[in-house]
Amino acid sequence: MIQSGKLSCILVTLLAVACLFAAGCTGTGDGPPPAGTQTSEQKSISIGYVLWDSEIASTNVIKQVFERAGYDVTLIAVDAAPLYQGLSKGEFDFTVSSWLPRTHGAYMEKFGDQIDEVGRNMNGTRIGLVVPTYVTIDSIEEMNSVKDRFDGKITGVEPGAGIMSATEEAIKEYDLDYELVYSSSAGMASALRKAVQGEEWIVVTGWTPHWKFARWDLKYLEDPKGIYGGEEHVATLARTGLAEDDPEAYAILQRFFWTPDDMQSVMLDIDDGMSETEAAQKWLDAHPDQVDAWLGKA
């Protein structure tokens, strides 16, 4: 027969073991949670963007801003049409790559009622046909008279880009006897670089801001018919519901605003050989007050 004192010791020991076992099973110990477990501190955001040099720069800057706010950030590169379609379906959270009112106007007409237009993140942008300043014409209306000098070609960017549809319209309205060559932002810049180095004539689809204007002496051809519109702006768009789902993220987007010179400096560093991450970090480190303002710390 077990004495009462010994029985009490046994019961206390069993109770202690039971408590330790329970703590291990419920995961309330000091060890890390199992892999894949989401904690309340974890935050994530996804960004859609088009592969223009300008939008590569801005997207990588805002990516690092969100990382400084504690977010895990996913970047999703798409063409212009899938950018708006994907955002309307909630396939990613936001973009800072919407050129309005002309360049991406057709996409906003189609998907705008399914997208939250947060606000402008840049003013003073424009699009049009661009040539080196040594080219001796100044207007789109003069292009047919020097067709042979341009080899009858306009070097463009990706199919589906708003500037390409505007250029197709310009060819029609100005009755240009030219072929519009589809390429990419990088391909257009490479063709321009080669032509400028040889002082050859070339006409490309261009936009401001872009590092090429800091690199070479270029000019827009006058557009008397107004096909390319006037001054544009870049807008931040979000999926519907982001403001309610993540007020902190939405507030950062509302505060995000910078200048064409800011963007162009990041693009120029990338063209000079910096990685997109390094160029964005360099700009952010040089503008701590602006970053704090975006984060709501100022």
Side-chain angles (χ1 to χ4, degrees):
M1 184 175 183
I2 300 176
Q3 296 180 359
S4 60
K6 292 182 178 180
L7 178 60
S8 297
C9 289
I10 292 171
L11 290 173
V12 169
T13 301
L14 291 173
L15 180 60
V17 171
C19 288
L20 289 172
F21 180 76
C25 289
T26 57
T28 57
D30 293 332
T37 300
Q38 295 291 319
T39 68
S40 59
E41 289 78 17
Q42 291 178 313
K43 300 180 291 186
S44 62
I45 201 86
S46 56
I47 312 172
Y49 70 111
V50 292
L51 287 172
W52 286 13
D53 293 338
S54 53
E55 304 321 303
I56 290 171
S58 60
T59 300
N60 276 274
V61 165
I62 195 65
K63 172 182 182 286
Q64 291 193 33
V65 170
F66 272 94
E67 287 174 341
R68 294 184 184 199
Y71 283 80
D72 179 32
V73 183
T74 300
L75 300 185
I76 303 171
V78 292
D79 289 334
L83 177 74
Y84 288 82
Q85 185 176 28
L87 196 58
S88 70
K89 294 182 177 180
E91 294 175 355
F92 40 85
D93 292 306
F94 74 90
T95 184
V96 292
S97 302
S98 177
W99 284 56
L100 298 173
R102 178 66 175 89
T103 308
H104 289 166
Y107 300 120
M108 283 300 286
E109 288 181 10
K110 185 174 182 179
F111 298 107
D113 59 351
Q114 305 165 55
I115 293 173
D116 182 353
E117 188 170 350
V118 180
R120 298 185 179 199
N121 63 64
M122 180 178 294
N123 288 323
T125 64
R126 67 174 294 187
I127 64 172
L129 294 182
V130 172
V131 298
T133 54
Y134 56 73
V135 169
T136 57
I137 65 168
D138 296 308
S139 173
I140 297 175
E141 290 182 319
E142 301 175 78
M143 287 179 62
N144 277 340
S145 65
V146 289
K147 174 188 172 184
D148 291 343
R149 298 295 303 271
F150 288 120
D151 198 24
K153 296 178 181 178
I154 300 170
T155 302
V157 290
E158 298 84 0
I163 195 171
M164 296 300 281
S165 59
T167 302
E168 290 168 355
E169 183 179 349
I171 289 173
K172 179 180 178 180
E173 293 299 320
Y174 287 100
D175 194 25
L176 297 179
D177 188 18
Y178 279 73
E179 174 192 0
L180 178 57
V181 180
Y182 290 86
S183 179
S184 64
S185 177
M188 174 274 295
S190 177
L192 180 60
R193 185 191 306 273
K194 182 179 179 181
V196 170
Q197 288 173 344
E199 290 198 10
E200 299 170 353
W201 281 37
I202 187 172
V203 55
V204 303
T205 56
W207 59 93
T208 303
H210 192 281
W211 59 263
K212 62 180 177 283
F213 289 96
R215 181 74 71 201
W216 305 300
D217 291 328
L218 306 172
K219 64 183 179 181
Y220 282 96
L221 291 178
E222 295 172 7
D223 174 23
K225 295 181 182 291
I227 303 302
Y228 291 98
E231 182 175 300
E232 294 210 314
H233 65 271
V234 186
T236 299
L237 309 178
R239 63 170 175 82
T240 56
L242 180 64
E244 294 76 24
D245 296 342
D246 195 336
E248 178 188 1
Y250 197 83
I252 292 173
L253 296 181
Q254 289 179 309
R255 293 186 291 261
F256 177 61
F257 187 89
W258 61 339
T259 70
D261 286 342
D262 291 329
M263 178 188 279
Q264 196 160 280
S265 69
V266 179
M267 286 190 283
L268 196 58
D269 281 335
I270 294 172
D271 184 60
D272 282 338
M274 275 192 186
S275 71
E276 298 154 5
T277 298
E278 290 171 335
Q281 183 175 340
K282 175 186 174 182
W283 190 92
L284 291 169
D285 289 344
H287 299 81
D289 293 342
Q290 193 161 344
V291 175
D292 283 346
W294 292 342
L295 292 173
K297 296 180 179 180

